[in-house]
Amino acid sequence: MSAQAPRRGEWGSQIGFILAAAGSAVGLGNIWRFPYMAGQNGGGAFVLVYLVCVLVIALPVMFLEISLGRATHRNPVGAIRAVAPRSAWRALGYLALLTGLGILSYYSVIAGKVMTYGALYIRKLFIGEAVTYHGATFEVVIYFALFIVLTVLVVSGGVQRGIERWAKILMPMLVLIMVAIIVRCLLLPGAMEGVKWFVTPDFSKITPRVILNAMSQGFFSLSLGMGAMLTYGSYLSKKDSIVVCGTSVVLFDTFIAILAGFMIFPAVFALGGNPAAGSTLIFQVLPKVFGGMKGGVLVAIVFFFLLCVAALTSTVSLLEVVTAYFVDERRWSRRRSVWTIGGAAFVVGLPSAFDMAGLRPWTSMVFLGKHGFLELMDFLWGNLSLAIGSLLLCVFAITVWGLNNAGSEIEIGSPSFSRYRGLWIFFIKWVCPTFIAIILASKLFS
Ligand code: PFF
């Protein structure tokens, strides 16, 4: 064990963990990224592969991450050091921190974009300006900065309490408003085409790239592979059930992603749009939906507000992971940590913000990509890095920590897990690492 005594709090209750972890999981990944990925990767085929990956790969990894956090009561670097002092495995902890910073940088840009839409609709309510898809605006940069500041303020205040209380009311509201929007979209003529496209898998579309994207989307959406669940698990009490907590988060998160699909694709097909439009998909489609809806302006304001809250509970977890490291291991004050990391995320995120603000020709020229800089960042951190992080975590558990230790940790608080322990070990030892490695290799070396 490393030198310092654990000086850490615990969640008030199991439901406290579930809310915070579900808050981390549910966010732009479900509502912005899932439809954009499904749209670019063959619709129903992607959805099917996604569901299989969540069940077979992400769920076992979720138990593993939470258990390593609870067993060690540490941040990602500290947790690895606690199990294997002075080993090179520390690098995996640092990779987690870098990934946290990388995702935080561009994720806040998308959140800033969501805020610009909220603001536009508020303006429309009062001044009556029309709202259409707008790509080019520097407002994005301003709102991006604002969103980072909001995240910093929440995390510097010692995190959970307030957010937990709000999440309890606002998350169910988000579900309700999404259901209302779905009902409206399904009534549009031609909407059923979209439903069909979303639920009917075309098996010929399943390629290594589609599988990589679906698998990584599972990690992204469930906040796995970079220590967020590990860090949240480090505040979990031994009385609580990792199985109940992990499974609830997975079910809820998957439910929201599927809802988002039903919200976007019927509208794409009914109102004319390209499902493969990429990272701007929801911003192209939703204004059209709200435009044709009675009371659409109000619905839009409430929806974008709730989406901002969902994004905030996710950025809070991203920042918390890196902060926990600087506070625990480097002895920085919480204030200094959050402002420094927030500042770094702003600088790293600027090219993504310029990209979103319509300077794509410039950013792609500088960074040599046919996609914009934001999509490049999303691919590197949101796709590759989370998959690599999850793979290495499995290998770490197999070779260093020991799957029996992990299994025993999970059993504390969930005695009935003993019946599935062998199955879980089989998945973490064979299925998950083999699958992730093959998919990564086939993508990277093809
Ligand atoms: N799970 C979040 C979402 O779906 O929006 C994004 C995310 C948060 C990814 C935290 C990774 C993470 F550690």
Side-chain angles (χ1 to χ4, degrees), residues 24-30 103 107 220-223 226 228 314 317-318:
S24 166
V26 174
L28 298 172
N30 306 62
I103 296 180
Y107 194 95
F220 187 92
S221 193
L222 292 164
S223 308
M226 55 138 287
S314 301
S317 73
L318 288 161

Side-chain angles (χ1 to χ4, degrees), residues 135-149:
T137 167
F138 264 96
E139 259 177 290
V140 176
V141 179
I142 306 292
Y143 281 101
F144 157 55
L146 188 65
F147 200 83
I148 292 210
V149 169

Side-chain angles (χ1 to χ4, degrees), residues 106-157:
Y106 71 83
Y107 194 95
S108 305
V109 172
I110 309 291
K113 181 88 175 169
V114 170
M115 278 178 127
T116 61
Y117 275 92
L120 271 176
Y121 279 98
I122 292 176
R123 215 178 300 156
K124 180 172 165 84
L125 188 67
F126 291 107
I127 323 178
E129 277 173 18
V131 179
T132 45
Y133 170 65
H134 70 302
T137 167
F138 264 96
E139 259 177 290
V140 176
V141 179
I142 306 292
Y143 281 101
F144 157 55
L146 188 65
F147 200 83
I148 292 210
V149 169
L150 275 178
T151 308
V152 162
L153 289 177
V154 173
V155 178
S156 83

Side-chain angles (χ1 to χ4, degrees), residues 21-34 50 65 96 99-100 103-104 106-107 217-229 253 310-311 313-319 321 381-382 386:
S24 166
V26 174
L28 298 172
N30 306 62
I31 293 160
W32 157 74
R33 200 175 190 273
F34 179 78
Y50 177 76
E65 241 199 80
T99 310
I103 296 180
L104 180 60
Y106 71 83
Y107 194 95
Q217 173 61 21
F219 294 137
F220 187 92
S221 193
L222 292 164
S223 308
L224 292 172
M226 55 138 287
M229 289 301 161
D253 185 80
T313 52
S314 301
T315 49
V316 159
S317 73
L318 288 161
L319 182 56
V321 172
W381 302 112
L386 294 181

